[in-house]
């Protein structure tokens, strides 16, 4: 049954309003004003058919937005001074997903910029003269994956990186994000992504990780940053992706997780919220959308089974509501301004909804627990072209991406090929 | 002069022109030509950062360094490195922690979504009153202890400002577990739920407070506690049946900690509500009621295989109804649920 647009799908507050329901109603009002332009007049109340041909991804505008940012950011961005690797990653990845070339000048620029964030003691920092940070490390490594090339990969000091990651390791299996920093599942994700890409996975590094992530699952079914804290889309992706890397998604109550994840898709807006009774936000297109792709694998579902969410409704939300036509780039929701973060995550979510990137349950590799089976397990993910579903004009199609790593498949494969040709760090493992 | 007054006086004058700072050379960032995403720092910010890097590089411990960290933090509270440095300075300079907390509280109102502020509070509070010392007094005494009373007040204000502030609730969990303030927490949670029955952060906190630091994987909820939670939930469902939070809370709680009570106690109460004229329409229309029935029937069928056939049949009908009428956006999930019935 195809999903139509209808005012019937609007939130029913049971004539008992609270701050939550009032905010939801306001958002629906603004989304409704947008959506109604895409359906035939008079049909909206009972189930209007969305005219998808009106939906277009304005690549040129978004590319301009990103390139302007790469060229320079205003003084107000000093608040992101400790997130500089992210600025490069968000930019490079947004361009790559849209199929834009990263020419050799940009490549050199990116490489030089990111290299300056690497700390002698290991890891990458949020900026020069700062402490190394797991998130900055993750963003730097991913930026280098997009830059690509042996020189970029060779610039990463694997040995120091491993030593530093181990100093972040905590007794409960999780990791502090920096010396004296917070411990949460986001840190776990950053470590496992980096370690699995750089071929520095060890049993020691990942010990206790699955147990910690499992404890982050709340009674609602989603995952929070730390045991006990509210289930949240971002942390759910982090936890689920981390478990996928080590082949341990089964430690979660997948049924309860599926229920919570499904509820993230908003009936009227079509996009995802990050928590129960919170508002839709374009960035969850990746956090929750990506989690659905991983869940597909965890439940051994096939492309014929299709995803457990409405891919078309999600794409409509991104295309109709998240594009900022004033300044270019993508945004959280109408009324908010575009930014690099929402641009990248909106595009990632769009990609994962357009393409079916999955693993054929039939071709599963048997040894799933060895840390050295990581590249094999991650490289089983591929695009199933027959299961593609691109909403709007066909030129809306963007590059397929890996749900766990959040980057396109070719640069990822090249990175894995490079690092797994190197010897692992500790021969005894 | 207090530090704050002298700071304000000095803010207008660049550091390079101050006698106090003549002895040290700022360390500039290497912004080679063609950096990606270069930030056009203001001269003031650039200078502050130059001096910060310089004092951090030599590990300087001084009042001027402390004052400098305050200025940097006010410009960029997300600068995690400066927070680590400040923490060390506060310790080594033996600064007045209560005053430090004052300052953190001041900054917080400007930056409600900043993580580092809360993390800094944690270290200050544990220094002011070591958790091990807190253990020796009763909860009533702990709650009235000035340190904790202040934290609870601060948290109350933050949550008042933004009832779902993720960092605030997360810090609150840390505070409550560290100082075992479980009894008062249930009261607080109840207040927040009554303020907005759809506040999921509050409902999540209710689960946290009910479990009270017991290991979730090992808890079996006492029957009377489970019953009273069911009553509590039903009362709040009545206010607005189409509200995910209480439904997710009660099914989640019982599934984990008293699964049989899903069908012995919760089921009759919600069926009763659905049969009640005042609530029938709303209950029928909300997907959460039907979803709860599915969860209940699944547990019941698992525990009583003789009822399985009947329950599976009823569940299939519910899934179909949800997928085609009540909750169409989630139809793919409901279809999955339906196929899962056959295998459970």
């Amino acid at each position: 049954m195809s999903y139509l647009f209808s005012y019937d799908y609007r939130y029913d507050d049971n004539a008992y309003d609270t701050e939550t329901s009032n905010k939801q109603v306001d958002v629906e009002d603004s989304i409704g004003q947008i959506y109604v332009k895409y359906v035939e007049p008079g049909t909206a109340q009972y189930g209007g058919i969305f005219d998808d041909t009106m939906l277009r991804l304005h690549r040129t505008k978004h590319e301009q937005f990103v390139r302007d940012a790469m060229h320079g950011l205003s003084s107000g961005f000093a608040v992101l001074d400790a997130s500089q690797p992210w600025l490069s990653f968000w930019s490079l990845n947004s361009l790559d997903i849209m199929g834009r070339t990263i020419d050799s000048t940009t490549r050199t620029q990116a490489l030089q910029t990111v290299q300056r964030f690497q700390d002698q003691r290991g890891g990458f920092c949020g900026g020069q003269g700062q402490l190394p940070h797991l998130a900055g490390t993750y963003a730097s490594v991913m930026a280098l994956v997009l830059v690509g090339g042996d020189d970029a990969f060779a610039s990463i000091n694997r040995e120091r990186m491993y030593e530093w990651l181990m100093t972040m390791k905590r007794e409960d299996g999780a990791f502090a994000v920096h010396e004296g920093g917070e411990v949460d599942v986001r840190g776990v994700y950053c470590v496992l992504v980096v370690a699995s890409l750089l071929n520095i996975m060890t049993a020691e590094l990942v010990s206790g990780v699955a147990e910690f992530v499992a404890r982050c699952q709340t009674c609602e079914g989603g995952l929070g940053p730390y045991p006990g804290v509210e289930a949240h889309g971002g942390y759910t992706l982090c936890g689920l992706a981390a478990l996928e890397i080590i082949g341990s998604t089964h430690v979660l109550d997948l049924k309860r997780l599926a229920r919570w994840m499904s509820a993230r898709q908003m009936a009227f807006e079509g996009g995802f919220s990050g928590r129960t009774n919170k508002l839709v936000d374009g960035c969850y297109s990746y956090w929750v959308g990506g989690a659905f792709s991983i869940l597909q694998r965890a439940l051994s579902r096939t492309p014929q089974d299709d995803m457990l969410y409405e891919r078309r409704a999600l794409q409509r939300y991104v295309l109709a509501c998240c594009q900022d036509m004033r300044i270019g780039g993508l945004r959280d929701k109408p009324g908010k301004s575009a930014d690099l973060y929402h641009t990248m995550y909106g595009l990632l979510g769009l990609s994962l909804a357009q393409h079916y990137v999955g693993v054929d349950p039939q071709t599963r590799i048997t040894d799933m627990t060895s840390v050295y089976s990581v590249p094999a397990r991650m490289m089983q993910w591929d695009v199933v072209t027959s299961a593609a579903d691109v909403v709007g004009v066909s030129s809306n199609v963007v590059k397929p991406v890996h749900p766990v790593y959040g980057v396109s498949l070719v640069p990822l494969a090249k990175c894995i090929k490079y690092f797994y040709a190197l010897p692992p760090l500790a021969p005894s493992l | 002069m207090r530090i704050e007054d002298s700071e304000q006086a000095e803010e207008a004058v660049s550091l390079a022109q101050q006698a106090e700072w003549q002895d040290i050379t700022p360390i500039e960032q290497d912004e080679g030509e063609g950096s990606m995403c270069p930030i056009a720092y203001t001269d003031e910010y650039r200078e502050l950062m130059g001096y910060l890097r310089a004092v951090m590089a030599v590990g300087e411990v001084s009042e001027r360094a402390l004052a400098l960290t305050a200025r940097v933090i006010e410009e960029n509270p997300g600068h995690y490195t400066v927070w680590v440095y400040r923490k060390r300075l506060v310790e080594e300079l033996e600064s007045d922690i209560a005053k430090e907390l004052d300052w953190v509280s001041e900054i917080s109102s400007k930056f409600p979504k900043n993580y580092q502020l809360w993390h800094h509070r944690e270290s200050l509070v544990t220094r002011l009153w070591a958790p091990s010392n807190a253990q020796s007094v009763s909860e009533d005494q702990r709650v009235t202890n000035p340190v904790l009373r202040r934290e609870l007040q601060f948290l109350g204000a933050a949550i008042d400002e933004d009832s779902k502030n993720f960092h605030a609730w997360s810090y609150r969990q840390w505070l409550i577990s560290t100082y075992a303030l479980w009894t008062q927490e249930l009261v607080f949670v109840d207040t927040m739920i009554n303020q907005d029955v759809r506040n999921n952060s509050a409902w999540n906190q209710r689960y946290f407070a009910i479990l009270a630091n017991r290991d979730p994987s090992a808890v079996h909820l006492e029957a009377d506690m489970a019953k009273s939670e069911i009553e509590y939930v039903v009362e709040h469902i009545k206010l607005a049946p189409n509200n995910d939070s209480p439904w997710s809370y009660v099914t989640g709680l019982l599934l984990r900690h008293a699964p049989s009570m899903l069908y012995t106690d919760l089921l009759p109460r919600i069926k009763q509500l659905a049969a009640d004229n005042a609530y029938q329409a709303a209950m029928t229309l909300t997907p959460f009621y039907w979803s709860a029935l599915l969860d209940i029937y699944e547990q019941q069928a698992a525990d009583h295989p003789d009822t399985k056939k009947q329950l599976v049949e009823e569940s299939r009908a519910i899934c179909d109804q949800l997928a085609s009428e009540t909750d169409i956006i989630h139809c793919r999930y409901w279809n999955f649920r339906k196929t899962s019935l056959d295998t459970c």
Side-chain angles (χ1 to χ4, degrees):
Chain A
M1 129 135 6
S2 90
Y3 179 71
L4 306 173
F5 169 80
S6 169
Y7 290 134
D8 281 348
Y9 301 149
R10 289 202 56 165
Y11 187 76
D12 178 1
D13 69 0
N14 302 129
Y16 177 85
D17 66 298
T18 61
E19 191 183 346
T20 299
S21 59
N22 289 333
K23 284 187 169 166
Q24 176 61 24
V25 164
D26 286 345
V27 167
E28 288 182 3
D29 283 344
S30 83
I31 306 276
Q33 277 169 26
I34 293 173
Y35 279 163
V36 79
K37 297 181 195 161
Y38 292 83
V39 297
E40 226 175 291
T43 64
Q45 188 67 55
Y46 307 109
I49 298 176
F50 220 88
D51 182 2
D52 288 337
T53 63
M54 291 168 65
L55 290 169
R56 197 160 80 78
L57 178 68
H58 297 274
R59 274 179 158 80
T60 313
K61 249 195 128 52
H62 304 321
E63 182 177 357
Q64 195 57 54
F65 173 79
V66 173
R67 291 206 187 271
D68 286 348
M70 282 162 72
H71 188 72
L73 296 164
S74 69
S75 59
F77 279 85
V79 295
L80 288 178
D81 200 26
S83 302
Q84 289 176 56
W86 286 102
L87 298 170
S88 293
F89 176 45
W90 292 328
S91 306
L92 291 168
N93 207 15
S94 296
L95 290 180
D96 183 67
I97 297 166
M98 290 194 291
R100 291 321 197 226
T101 24
I102 295 170
D103 63 24
S104 64
T105 314
T106 310
R107 193 192 167 270
T108 309
Q109 235 178 41
L111 183 53
Q112 276 174 5
T113 302
V114 172
Q115 275 169 342
R116 290 189 202 113
F117 303 141
Q118 186 164 202
D119 193 284
Q120 283 181 321
R121 294 158 292 177
F124 288 75
C125 312
Q128 295 166 57
Q130 299 178 28
L131 289 169
H133 191 299
L134 286 179
T137 299
Y138 164 83
S140 297
V141 169
M142 299 319 292
L144 290 173
V145 168
L146 292 169
V147 161
D150 288 9
D151 54 339
F153 300 143
S155 76
I156 305 174
N157 189 326
R158 288 163 79 223
E159 288 78 14
R160 290 288 95 69
M161 173 73 81
Y162 181 79
E163 281 161 23
W164 175 68
L165 291 178
M166 284 307 293
T167 65
M168 294 297 104
K169 181 91 175 160
R170 293 290 165 269
E171 267 169 28
D172 58 6
F175 298 83
V177 294
H178 62 81
E179 177 199 310
E182 66 270 28
V183 175
D184 62 40
V185 84
R186 194 186 28 141
V188 170
Y189 171 72
C190 292
V191 170
L192 261 56
V193 162
V194 166
S196 63
L197 289 178
L198 302 185
N199 188 11
I200 54 175
M201 293 277 277
T202 64
E204 223 189 348
L205 187 71
V206 308
S207 86
V209 160
E211 291 75 16
F212 175 78
V213 174
R215 286 169 50 223
C216 290
Q217 185 169 26
T218 75
C219 67
E220 289 194 84
L223 275 60
Y226 194 80
V229 182
E230 193 181 4
H232 181 292
Y235 300 106
T236 298
L237 182 286
C238 286
L240 194 56
L243 290 175
E244 172 55 27
I245 291 174
I246 55 174
S248 299
T249 51
H250 56 268
V251 303
L252 296 175
D253 179 345
L254 294 173
K255 276 162 59 178
R256 196 77 182 151
L257 173 64
R259 190 201 73 95
W260 177 87
M261 280 170 57
S262 165
R264 300 284 53 73
Q265 187 158 33
M266 309 301 276
F268 186 72
E269 303 92 298
F272 295 120
S273 63
R275 311 184 239 166
T276 302
N277 278 332
K278 289 276 280 180
L279 303 172
V280 72
D281 180 336
C283 71
Y284 295 112
S285 308
Y286 172 67
W287 301 120
V288 180
F292 271 110
S293 298
I294 303 173
L295 182 69
Q296 195 74 351
R297 163 91 193 252
L299 295 172
S300 302
R301 289 170 67 78
T302 68
Q304 288 71 38
D305 297 324
D306 211 1
M307 303 283 226
L308 294 177
Y309 74 104
E310 252 299 327
R311 292 161 61 184
R312 311 200 111 227
L314 187 279
Q315 291 180 58
R316 282 187 195 115
Y317 179 69
V318 173
L319 292 169
C321 303
C322 295
Q323 299 191 78
D324 187 329
M325 291 317 294
R326 200 175 54 88
I327 62 175
L330 277 68
R331 62 193 174 193
D332 161 352
K333 58 170 70 64
K336 301 275 173 91
S337 264
D339 59 55
L340 287 171
Y341 165 89
H342 282 93
T343 299
M344 186 185 90
Y345 286 109
L347 289 170
L348 280 172
L350 183 68
S351 170
L352 286 163
Q354 288 180 344
H355 298 286
Y356 186 101
V357 178
V359 179
D360 182 346
Q362 303 301 316
T363 63
R364 196 190 313 212
I365 284 184
T366 49
D367 181 5
M368 281 295 130
T369 55
S370 156
V371 293
Y372 296 114
S373 67
V374 165
R377 186 167 45 248
M378 289 300 109
M379 293 318 295
Q380 287 178 284
W381 291 80
D382 207 353
V383 194
V384 179
T385 36
S386 58
D389 191 358
V390 178
V391 167
V393 299
S394 57
S395 60
N396 289 346
V397 70
V398 293
K399 271 198 202 168
V401 297
H402 195 300
V404 169
Y405 295 96
V407 289
S408 63
L409 304 173
V410 170
L412 189 66
K414 288 185 177 168
C415 168
I416 288 180
K417 186 173 170 192
Y418 175 90
F419 285 105
Y420 281 86
L422 300 175
L425 287 182
S428 60
L429 288 161
Chain B
M1 239 194 201
R2 294 176 322 168
I3 293 176
E4 305 82 39
D5 291 343
S6 64
E7 266 175 34
Q8 268 160 18
E10 282 165 13
E11 245 167 62
V13 184
S14 114
L15 293 174
Q17 295 171 318
Q18 292 176 29
E20 197 194 354
W21 287 97
Q22 290 311 308
D23 62 308
I24 195 163
T25 313
I27 297 177
E28 301 311 330
Q29 240 182 186
D30 177 7
E31 280 159 55
E33 242 196 61
S35 285
M36 180 161 283
C37 302
I39 298 170
Y41 306 110
T42 59
D43 290 339
E44 189 197 345
Y45 183 86
R46 190 185 291 276
E47 187 184 52
L48 286 177
M49 293 307 303
Y51 279 95
L52 178 72
R53 280 186 285 264
V55 294
M56 289 197 304
V58 297
E60 181 174 314
V61 175
S62 67
E63 289 294 337
R64 74 172 179 180
L66 185 69
L68 180 58
T69 63
R71 290 188 64 189
V72 171
I73 285 168
E74 289 182 44
E75 290 296 317
N76 179 13
H79 197 288
Y80 58 91
T81 305
V82 74
W83 281 104
V84 173
Y85 183 50
R86 186 175 177 96
K87 176 175 180 235
R88 185 182 147 210
L89 290 173
V90 162
E91 278 164 20
E92 297 199 28
L93 292 171
E94 292 177 7
S95 305
D96 182 334
I97 305 186
K99 285 217 175 98
E100 179 69 2
L101 267 173
D102 274 336
W103 173 77
V104 174
S105 301
E106 234 178 84
I107 306 269
S108 300
S109 47
K110 279 190 245 169
F111 307 110
K113 296 215 169 165
N114 171 274
Y115 176 81
Q116 283 77 20
L117 280 160
W118 294 99
H119 194 60
H120 193 64
R121 277 197 102 85
E122 263 180 49
S123 62
L124 296 172
V125 168
T126 43
R127 279 185 62 204
L128 266 182
W129 199 26
S132 47
N133 294 343
Q135 270 165 31
S136 54
V137 301
S138 71
E139 184 177 335
D140 283 341
Q141 286 172 302
R142 289 197 292 277
V143 162
T144 53
N145 170 282
V147 176
L148 298 189
R149 191 151 45 108
R150 188 226 178 106
E151 290 311 292
L152 291 170
Q153 247 167 24
F154 181 76
L155 272 165
I159 289 172
D160 209 49
E161 182 66 36
D162 173 3
S163 65
K164 301 179 186 184
N165 184 329
F166 202 72
H167 301 296
W169 283 104
S170 187
Y171 176 79
R172 200 177 170 100
Q173 287 200 357
W174 171 81
L175 190 76
I176 273 48
S177 347
T178 305
Y179 293 96
L181 302 172
W182 301 103
T183 315
Q184 67 78 45
E185 194 61 4
L186 259 174
V187 176
F188 178 76
V189 161
D190 182 51
T191 307
M192 293 311 296
I193 287 175
N194 290 328
Q195 226 175 72
D196 181 347
V197 73
R198 298 178 177 98
N199 185 339
N200 197 66
S201 305
W203 283 99
N204 180 74
Q205 197 78 349
R206 189 168 185 92
Y207 178 87
F208 165 80
I210 291 280
L211 245 69
N213 228 22
R214 291 176 285 173
D215 175 5
S217 61
V219 173
H220 187 86
L221 209 61
E222 305 75 14
D224 54 352
M225 178 157 258
K227 280 186 219 255
S228 95
E229 283 310 293
I230 289 170
E231 278 320 304
Y232 185 87
V233 162
V234 168
E235 282 315 300
H236 287 86
I237 285 174
K238 283 178 175 174
L239 297 172
N242 188 39
N243 173 13
D244 196 342
S245 296
W247 293 102
S248 288
Y249 168 74
V250 77
T251 51
L253 180 75
L254 297 177
L255 266 166
R256 281 184 171 188
H257 306 299
S260 62
M261 293 185 74
L262 277 165
Y263 48 90
T264 59
D265 289 76
L266 180 64
L267 181 62
R269 287 301 280 114
I270 62 177
K271 286 233 143 179
Q272 188 182 29
L273 198 63
D276 184 332
N277 281 331
Y279 303 100
Q280 190 171 63
M283 290 286 276
T284 312
L285 285 173
T286 181
F288 305 119
Y289 167 62
W290 300 103
S291 175
L293 287 179
L294 284 178
D295 291 339
I296 294 169
Y297 292 157
E298 200 171 302
Q299 186 66 45
Q300 191 172 12
D303 293 348
H304 302 279
D306 50 308
T307 62
K308 184 169 174 181
K309 189 155 176 272
Q310 165 69 19
L311 292 173
V312 166
E313 217 174 280
E314 245 182 273
S315 298
R316 299 182 110 247
I318 292 175
C319 288
D320 283 338
Q321 183 202 311
L322 282 164
S324 60
E325 273 173 56
T326 322
D327 195 20
I328 302 176
I329 184 71
H330 302 126
C331 66
R332 294 176 197 284
Y333 171 71
W334 296 121
N335 291 333
F336 161 70
R337 236 5 234 280
K338 189 166 106 170
T339 56
S340 308
L341 288 170
D342 300 329
T343 55
C344 74

